[in-house]
């Protein structure tokens, strides 16, 4: 459950959110970029063991602290494991002062009306109760917009806020993530529609309730300023969405008030075969670059 110190850090802290929440579908690619090919594991369990080792190495690196990394998003299996000899969420907050979040979505449904909605989440209430027991601050839930389709974007935002209401009812803070695919031709139009829909639902939030938003870096610099200023929003964070770290940081710096929540852009350049000194130097450089873009 959120504590006053965690709320203050998530509202006003200087830094960014590390997205360490790769799931079953994205884990093989993340491991490959880390230098571990599919021939290195023979089962899903072995794959997740390797992924956890990578996440643990990042989380225990000297630079990975709340001074610049204000929060981290965890995969469910990470929440259930240990880092540094403690339950993962407890280690992050107690040892690193990094606020823990949990990815709760179970992937994407088939495309319809230019969007991919979230699949149903079986056992959601129990999962949220477990998150509370682990000391998780909030959740993250992703869906995807592939076209400037008003009906589809309206449906995706409605689903995000409906799920967010269930998360808020458990005392947790949801990060709503309606991602706009960065390669679509009508990205700017889709983002304008998304802004309108999000503002509509924010204005319907009960007094005192706040959500966070995780959005693709917008084509129009400063587009999401009304969301950043809205009393129903704790924080607006940006996903890297396939941009390189340099590209993502440059775009982020054009959007004052947004901070990063990068995954691939954070781990770019890390390798399983790096000695600890080289690894810690590389992750330190990545953290510094993303931090600077987030506080510009």
């Amino acid at each position: 459950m959120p504590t006053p110190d965690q709320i203050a850090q998530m509202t006003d802290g200087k830094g960014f959110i590390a997205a360490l929440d790769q799931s079953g579908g994205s884990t093989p690619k993340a491991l490959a970029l880390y230098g571990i090919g599919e021939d290195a594991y023979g089962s899903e369990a072995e794959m997740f063991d390797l992924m956890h080792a990578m996440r643990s190495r990042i989380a225990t690196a000297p630079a990975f602290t709340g001074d610049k990394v204000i929060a981290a998003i965890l995969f469910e299996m990470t929440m259930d494991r240990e880092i540094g000899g403690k339950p993962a969420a407890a280690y992050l907050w107690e040892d690193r002062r990094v606020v823990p979040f949990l990815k709760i979505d179970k992937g994407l449904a088939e495309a319809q009306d230019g969007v991919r909605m979230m699949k149903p989440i079986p056992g959601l209430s129990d999962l949220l109760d477990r998150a509370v027991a682990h000391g998780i601050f909030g959740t993250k839930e992703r869906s995807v917009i592939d076209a400037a389709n008003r009906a589809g974007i309206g449906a995706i935002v409605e689903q995000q806020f409906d799920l967010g209401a269930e998360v808020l009812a458990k005392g947790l803070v949801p990060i709503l993530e309606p991602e706009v695919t960065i390669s679509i031709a009508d990205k700017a139009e889709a983002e304008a529609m998304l802004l309108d829909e999000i503002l509509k639902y924010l204005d319907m939030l009960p007094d005192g309730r706040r959500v966070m938003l995780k959005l693709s870096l917008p084509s129009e610099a400063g587009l999401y300023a009304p969301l950043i200023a809205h009393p129903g929003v704790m924080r607006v964070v940006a996903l890297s969405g396939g941009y390189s770290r340099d590209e993502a940081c440059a775009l982020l710096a054009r959007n004052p008030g947004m901070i990063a929540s990068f995954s691939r852009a954070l781990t770019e350049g890390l390798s399983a075969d790096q000695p600890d000194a080289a690894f810690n130097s590389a992750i330190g450089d990545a953290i510094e670059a993303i931090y600077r873009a987030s506080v510009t």
Side-chain angles (χ1 to χ4, degrees):
M1 294 285 278
T3 68
D5 284 349
Q6 290 174 332
I7 292 170
Q9 181 153 310
M10 293 316 304
T11 303
D12 300 313
K14 302 295 185 183
F16 68 95
I17 299 175
L20 305 178
D21 59 335
Q22 297 91 347
S23 57
S26 55
T27 295
K29 182 176 181 181
L31 285 174
L33 291 170
Y34 187 52
I36 299 176
E38 293 189 29
D39 57 349
Y41 47 89
S43 67
E44 187 176 77
E46 290 177 357
M47 177 184 75
F48 283 123
D49 286 345
L50 290 166
M51 195 68 218
H52 185 69
M54 174 184 167
R55 290 174 177 139
S56 296
R57 197 179 188 194
I58 293 170
T60 56
F64 197 90
T65 72
D67 292 336
K68 294 179 179 178
V69 184
I70 62 172
I73 305 169
L74 305 178
F75 181 47
E76 183 179 348
M77 285 187 181
T78 308
M79 179 184 75
D80 291 334
R81 297 192 186 209
E82 292 188 349
I83 297 175
K86 287 184 176 182
Y91 173 81
L92 286 172
W93 180 242
E94 293 170 7
D95 291 54
R96 294 291 163 139
R97 306 307 285 180
V98 173
V99 177
F101 283 77
L102 176 67
K103 167 189 162 71
I104 61 170
D105 66 84
K106 301 299 182 184
L108 302 172
E110 293 296 319
Q112 183 175 352
D113 292 332
V115 303
R116 287 172 282 165
M117 306 271 281
M118 290 179 283
K119 291 179 179 177
I121 307 173
L124 174 62
S125 181
D126 289 344
L127 176 59
L128 295 177
D129 288 340
R130 285 174 47 223
V132 170
H134 276 275
I136 294 292
F137 179 90
T139 65
K140 192 215 75 168
E141 38 269 19
R142 171 180 176 262
S143 47
V144 175
I145 295 166
D146 291 321
N149 182 303
R150 177 71 70 174
I153 292 172
I156 219 169
V157 173
E158 180 179 19
Q159 184 190 42
Q160 285 281 348
F161 275 88
D162 284 348
L163 179 54
E166 295 186 62
V167 173
L168 287 165
K170 294 287 189 177
L172 301 170
V173 178
I175 301 177
L176 312 181
E177 184 184 4
E179 174 183 349
V180 178
T181 302
I182 64 171
S183 59
I184 59 175
D186 52 1
K187 178 174 177 283
E189 293 85 351
E191 289 166 342
M193 293 178 186
L194 178 61
L195 174 62
D196 290 344
E197 292 296 321
I198 291 174
L199 285 170
K200 180 173 71 177
Y201 281 90
L202 285 175
D203 289 341
M204 294 189 286
L205 281 176
D207 289 344
R209 292 293 181 99
R210 289 190 292 173
V211 302
M212 294 176 61
L213 297 163
K214 182 170 179 176
L215 305 171
S216 302
L217 289 157
S219 298
E220 178 187 334
L223 177 71
Y224 294 130
L227 303 180
I228 295 166
H230 198 286
V233 177
M234 181 175 288
R235 210 74 184 245
V236 178
V237 306
L239 58 100
S240 50
Y243 293 117
S244 70
R245 183 190 302 145
D246 288 346
E247 289 174 318
C249 287
L251 289 168
L252 179 62
R254 297 173 57 219
N255 288 275
M258 291 185 83
I259 65 172
S261 177
F262 293 170
S263 175
R264 190 182 63 78
L266 172 64
T267 59
E268 182 182 307
L270 302 182
S271 175
D273 61 6
Q274 284 172 317
D276 286 345
F279 179 91
N280 290 337
S281 176
I283 190 65
D285 289 346
I287 287 170
E288 181 65 23
I290 298 169
Y291 169 80
R292 289 186 177 278
S294 295
V295 301
T296 298

